[in-house]
Amino acid sequence: MKTTIGKMLLAAGMFAASVPALAEIVVIVNPKNPATRMFSEQASQFFIGKSTLFTPVEFNEGAPIRNEFYSKVLQKEPAQVKAIWSKLVFTGKGTAPKEYHSAAEVKKAVAADVSAIGYIDKSAVDDSVKVILTVQ
């Protein structure tokens, strides 16, 4: 019996070690941007094209942080967000966000544009960007 329990605990530990920890996501803007705080509901408006006050920048399609951001902030599946942007682009009412491969690229794009808004893992934050929302 002890062997079976030990094997189960070992298997559970190995499984837990193989599951990546969820990122602590933060929404960022250029340090010169006057915004200091934002609610998730406000941030979501920029990432689904309902407001043009900020220019959203994204991670590439399929990036785990993008999927988590969509789930937690936009409360939508990636396919739903893609459909929203497809419609906006097709009707001429919007331009889809530029996509980047890494947090460093997202950060660089936000740091270069005072109207840009993006999201990265909190561990990647430095003084080139300003955090206005920590995603819960």
Side-chain angles (χ1 to χ4, degrees):
M1 178 125 165
K2 286 183 183 179
T3 306
T4 304
I5 292 172
K7 285 181 182 176
M8 288 172 45
L9 289 173
L10 178 62
M14 289 172 65
F15 175 74
S18 68
V19 175
L22 294 178
E24 186 169 11
I25 300 171
V26 292
V27 175
I28 57 169
V29 295
N30 183 294
K32 293 179 180 162
N33 188 301
T36 56
R37 274 191 300 176
M38 191 174 286
F39 294 108
S40 288
E41 297 80 16
Q42 294 168 307
S44 72
Q45 301 302 300
F46 308 112
F47 290 93
I48 58 172
K50 289 200 176 207
S51 175
T52 57
L53 187 61
F54 290 88
T55 305
V57 296
E58 285 268 30
F59 278 85
N60 282 348
E61 192 172 342
I65 191 170
R66 178 171 167 162
N67 296 341
E68 186 178 349
F69 179 79
Y70 284 2
S71 174
K72 289 182 175 181
V73 177
L74 308 183
Q75 299 176 345
K76 297 192 181 302
E77 294 295 321
Q80 292 173 297
V81 178
K82 187 174 185 174
I84 290 167
W85 279 109
S86 293
K87 183 178 178 182
L88 289 170
V89 170
F90 181 74
T91 59
K93 295 180 181 175
T95 303
K98 288 186 180 172
E99 296 181 0
Y100 297 94
H101 294 284
S102 68
E105 291 175 343
V106 169
K107 208 168 38 172
K108 184 177 178 182
V110 170
D113 181 354
V114 75
S115 69
I117 187 169
Y119 54 89
I120 57 173
D121 187 280
K122 186 176 183 178
S123 66
V125 171
D126 61 26
D127 62 358
S128 70
V129 294
K130 176 171 57 173
V131 174
I132 59 169
L133 170 67
T134 299
V135 177
Q136 300 298 324

